[in-house]
Amino acid sequence: MLHFRTFPVTPTLGKLCSPRPLKSSNCPRFSMVSRENDDQKMKIPHVMTVAGSDSGAGAGIQADLKACAALGVYCSTVITAVTAQNTVGVQGVNILPEDFVAEQMKSVLSDMEVDVVKTGMLPSVGMVKVLLQSIKEYSVQALVVDPVMVATSGDVLAGSSVLPVFRNVLVKGGDLPASMDAIDVFYDGENVYELSSARISTRNTHGTGCTLASSIAAELAKGLPMLSAVKIAKKFVDAALNYGKDMAIGRGRHGPFDHLLKLKVCRSVAPRAFSPSDLFLYAVTDSGMNEKWGRSITEAVKAAIEGGATIVQLREKNLETREFLEAAKECVSICHSKGVPILINDRVDVALASDADGVHVGQSDMPVSLVRSLLGPEKIIGISCKTPEQAHEAWVNGADYIGSGGVFPTNTKANNRTIGLDGLKEVCLASKLPVVAIGGIGASNAQSVMEVDAPNLEGVAVVSALFNAECVSSATKQLHANLKQAVRTRS
Ligand SMILES: Cc1ncc(COP(=O)(O)OP(=O)(O)O)c(N)n1
Ligand SMILES: Cc1ncsc1CCOP(=O)(O)O
Ligand SMILES: [Mg+2]
């Protein structure tokens, strides 16, 4: 069944995808401070949901509350209808009077700073008018509309005549039968984006639509642009579905899933969404090499960024945890100030504690799905793959990119099988994920790597070519120039 989840821009609301940036510099705490103490106030991203209650708590208001809580966003609730509902179906609906819905909205909007309004069940035209009246009166940044245009039963609930008023539209493909992938199509008024992920096989899908829409609203409330919000919301739904796929709640066909999977999504600033082009020049540290040249990890990372590194990984195999954590915190701060993502090799604990952007794991490290449930949907997860089978698995398990190698022989990683340029190409062609090549790569052979005919090969990851050089920034600059040249030749 195809549900249309739509996001309109109305003239009164202005641009949908530019909620105001948040001024908070700490993780959200759910303590409300009175207006009189405005100067002490910590701004909490806030979504107000206007929707129906689901007594089974899989969808509606209850799903919105759980999704927002899991994503670290405050959610106030305006209830339009109370449904008697379970996993079997809807046994009864009691619609609240329009003036009382208006009163709830007034209570919330007159008192609290709402960033984004998300709507679900709006059971009458009068209710829509009440909503529009309220959001005209109080300033909100964005409106996320979730009208179920086609019910699970197949009944058309809203005709095609409503479509022209929508400007941003996300069409969910999760309910399409007989597909290995869950493909959603997002249109932002200019471009069409296909957002695909592996389909999760589970009966526990009740409430996915509400959750997707409220997660988008939550990410918008944090200050993310629309496309990033949609991508993160989709990952959150995938992670929650995966986490709760074997739960047994209710005897009906579609059970609820677990929104409050053990996620820790709590960070100081809104993350910049991962882009495959970040993998262009991937600097992977080695403190042994840096020590040899008399520089600290932070000096080495600064120099690599100065030379043009587009992403950094701290691969510190010999540091004690405390030392690693201190270096990670400093490097996270350096990288974030330069807008460069930073990942931690192997250590999920260090990544969490230092607020790094993600983790790179190998085939014998912690499994990607577990890393995802620990790190949450916003973090970047890379996985090493040497074979097409591993590359396919990486996609299914929800990784963001693949590191593939050793492409050439290397002294940096002991007993590492070399897969060559042909092996690299096989890995690339077996996955929809972006790939970065690693192993024995430097300025002299980077061009041959970038000539591999695979559209998802995004760049090279290097250790010794940068950090075993006397001058890290010059070595990085040289490699960057050669990569640029290779890309020019490729196109
Ligand atoms: C970008 C990138 N690709 C591959 C690796 C290797 O990771 P792994 O297989 O876990 O080996 P170690 O680095 O842990 O020795 C990587 N680190 N980065
Ligand atoms: C970590 C790793 N994984 C595969 S090869 C490799 C080492 C890459 O180091 P170098 O760039 O010095 O060859
Ligand atoms: Mg590893």
Side-chain angles (χ1 to χ4, degrees):
M1 222 49 60
L2 199 64
H3 288 186
F4 294 78
R5 307 281 169 182
T6 58
F7 310 90
V9 176
T10 70
T12 48
L13 284 173
K15 227 170 147 236
L16 174 66
C17 50
S18 53
R20 63 179 163 263
L22 301 172
K23 57 186 176 208
S24 155
S25 62
N26 285 313
C27 296
R29 268 195 287 117
F30 289 84
S31 59
M32 304 305 293
V33 179
S34 74
R35 294 255 160 159
E36 294 88 70
N37 298 333
D38 244 18
D39 49 343
Q40 299 163 19
K41 201 167 87 174
M42 184 196 292
K43 176 74 183 80
I44 308 292
H46 187 145
V47 170
M48 180 179 87
T49 174
V50 183
S53 157
D54 168 6
S55 53
I61 287 278
Q62 288 81 356
D64 298 341
L65 272 172
K66 288 186 278 185
C68 286
L71 293 168
V73 170
Y74 190 83
C75 181
S76 53
T77 55
V78 171
I79 300 182
T80 57
V82 180
T83 68
Q85 195 176 161
N86 56 21
T87 62
V88 178
V90 179
Q91 290 81 42
V93 179
N94 206 331
I95 296 173
L96 269 78
E98 283 159 19
D99 56 355
F100 192 66
V101 172
E103 197 171 335
Q104 293 176 67
M105 278 192 253
K106 188 172 177 194
S107 294
V108 174
L109 291 168
S110 64
D111 178 41
M112 301 173 180
E113 239 178 88
V114 171
D115 298 294
V116 178
V117 173
K118 178 254 163 185
T119 65
M121 183 177 179
L122 294 174
S124 67
V125 173
M127 211 80 96
V128 176
K129 286 185 180 157
V130 161
L131 169 79
L132 290 178
Q133 189 55 43
S134 296
I135 54 181
K136 260 188 209 161
E137 206 171 313
Y138 300 94
S139 96
V140 292
Q141 305 289 314
L143 173 62
V144 177
V145 175
D146 172 17
V148 182
M149 296 186 69
V150 184
T152 309
S153 60
D155 295 325
V156 175
L157 301 178
S160 56
S161 61
V162 301
L163 290 176
V165 302
F166 295 119
R167 295 290 177 272
N168 284 339
V169 184
L170 178 66
V171 183
K172 273 173 71 248
D175 296 329
L176 286 173
S179 162
M180 290 294 288
D181 295 337
I183 301 172
D184 298 347
V185 178
F186 174 61
Y187 174 62
D188 66 3
E190 270 179 28
N191 299 307
V192 176
Y193 304 87
E194 202 178 278
L195 310 174
S196 51
S197 57
R199 174 181 297 278
I200 293 146
S201 170
T202 175
R203 75 177 263 280
N204 297 330
T205 56
H206 178 53
T208 40
C210 305
T211 304
L212 182 65
S214 49
S215 307
I216 292 168
E219 296 301 326
L220 289 175
K222 290 179 194 171
L224 257 65
M226 178 57 92
L227 182 58
S228 307
V230 170
K231 284 182 180 172
I232 287 177
K234 185 170 166 61
K235 270 195 196 159
F236 171 69
V237 172
D238 285 350
L241 283 174
N242 199 27
Y243 188 76
K245 64 177 185 286
D246 299 321
M247 279 186 348
I249 296 178
R251 285 187 279 272
R253 270 186 59 207
H254 295 292
F257 55 98
D258 190 353
H259 297 72
L260 298 172
L261 65 163
K262 294 181 188 95
L263 294 180
K264 180 187 170 290
V265 184
C266 184
R267 54 179 299 149
S268 48
V269 282
R272 187 169 67 70
F274 172 67
S275 156
S277 61
D278 291 336
L279 298 173
F280 186 61
L281 202 175
Y282 194 150
V284 182
T285 67
D286 180 308
S287 47
M289 293 178 193
N290 287 317
E291 260 168 37
K292 184 179 118 187
W293 291 100
R295 58 191 166 230
S296 66
I297 304 172
T298 44
E299 283 165 344
V301 165
K302 268 186 205 155
I305 294 175
E306 194 189 310
T310 53
I311 186 166
V312 168
Q313 179 189 136
L314 298 189
R315 181 176 179 271
E316 297 300 334
K317 298 287 189 186
N318 300 320
L319 291 190
E320 295 295 336
T321 300
R322 186 73 65 91
E323 223 181 332
F324 194 176
L325 180 57
E326 287 315 311
K329 282 182 183 166
E330 280 182 51
C331 292
V332 165
S333 151
I334 293 164
C335 288
H336 286 176
S337 72
K338 303 285 180 193
V340 171
I342 174 165
L343 274 62
I344 306 293
N345 178 273
D346 294 349
R347 299 282 302 265
V348 177
D349 57 342
V350 174
L352 278 169
S354 62
D355 200 18
D357 296 294
V359 168
H360 186 95
V361 286
Q363 292 293 327
S364 54
D365 298 321
M366 195 179 282
V368 167
S369 53
L370 185 53
V371 180
R372 174 67 71 205
S373 70
L374 291 168
L375 290 188
E378 298 172 326
K379 300 282 182 172
I380 306 166
I381 302 176
I383 169 96
S384 309
C385 298
K386 284 185 188 292
T387 66
E389 292 73 27
Q390 291 171 353
H392 176 70
E393 276 295 292
W395 157 256
V396 170
N397 292 331
D400 292 296
Y401 76 86
I402 287 171
S404 187
V407 175
F408 304 118
T410 177
N411 292 324
T412 306
K413 186 170 167 64
N415 306 319
N416 186 51
R417 183 167 67 83
T418 301
I419 62 169
L421 292 170
D422 291 342
L424 172 65
K425 185 172 175 182
E426 278 182 33
V427 166
C428 290
L429 297 183
S431 185
K432 298 173 198 180
L433 292 173
V435 179
V436 62
I438 188 166
I441 301 171
S444 61
N445 58 13
Q447 177 141 4
S448 66
V449 175
M450 296 311 283
E451 277 167 4
V452 167
D453 188 14
N456 52 340
L457 178 63
E458 297 289 340
V460 298
V462 280
V463 185
S464 51
L466 305 189
F467 298 112
N468 215 8
E470 185 174 1
C471 178
V472 174
S473 62
S474 312
T476 316
K477 268 184 202 143
Q478 184 61 60
L479 179 58
H480 194 275
N482 291 14
L483 285 170
K484 279 270 181 208
Q485 182 56 42
V487 169
R488 273 194 289 273
T489 316
R490 189 155 83 159
S491 51

